Amino acid sequence: QVQLVESGGGLVQAGGSLRLSCVASGSISRINSVGWYRQVPGKQRELVARAIINNSTKYSDSVKGRFTISRDNAKNTVYLQMTNLRPEDTAVYYCYVDLREGLGVLKPYWGQGTQVTVSS
């Protein structure tokens, strides 16, 4: 199992920046990928950014060029650097990891979520 603790959310004006952090503990060596998702009330949770163990990354089109996902393996921490924030980025942001469980099975884990609010 793995435990995820997020921090760094808050209120920021449009055009501003925030950095989200997610500290992982537990079965760190079995992590296959890490990522950030976000959700607004009444909508499905959507992918923001994802980094796979081979260091390939994927971003949603809406955040490309503005958000950057990174990892500090020494600190077991995943970051999401968000710049040029827009009101439509307002959401609860969730840290995500999936663990290799054997036989090709990947098990997802989620953090508790952190609110990001961008004012216009």
Side-chain angles (χ1 to χ4, degrees):
Q1 290 198 356
V2 67
Q3 295 77 42
L4 304 172
V5 179
E6 300 144 342
S7 61
L11 174 64
V12 65
Q13 287 188 332
S17 299
L18 280 175
R19 188 178 77 162
L20 305 183
S21 301
C22 175
V23 180
S25 59
S27 302
I28 305 299
S29 62
R30 289 162 46 205
I31 289 178
N32 173 71
S33 73
V34 297
W36 291 91
Y37 285 70
R38 66 188 182 187
Q39 188 170 24
V40 298
K43 292 191 176 181
Q44 285 191 329
R45 195 170 294 187
E46 64 173 6
L47 172 70
V48 176
R50 185 174 177 224
I52 304 175
I53 196 64
N54 63 1
N55 290 326
S56 65
T57 56
K58 179 179 181 179
Y59 295 91
S60 71
D61 289 342
S62 63
V63 307
K64 277 181 184 176
R66 300 188 298 122
F67 292 11
T68 304
I69 187 171
S70 62
R71 301 173 64 168
D72 184 334
N73 291 329
K75 296 182 178 179
N76 294 329
T77 302
V78 180
Y79 301 101
L80 183 68
Q81 179 67 51
M82 305 184 292
T83 63
N84 192 19
L85 283 159
R86 304 167 180 169
E88 54 264 38
D89 294 318
T90 296
V92 177
Y93 285 69
Y94 295 90
C95 179
Y96 163 94
V97 302
D98 52 39
L99 298 191
R100 295 184 296 274
E101 296 283 345
L103 300 177
V105 175
L106 298 175
K107 184 174 181 180
Y109 291 86
W110 297 92
Q112 80 281 4
T114 185
Q115 176 71 45
V116 171
T117 302
V118 184
S119 63
S120 57

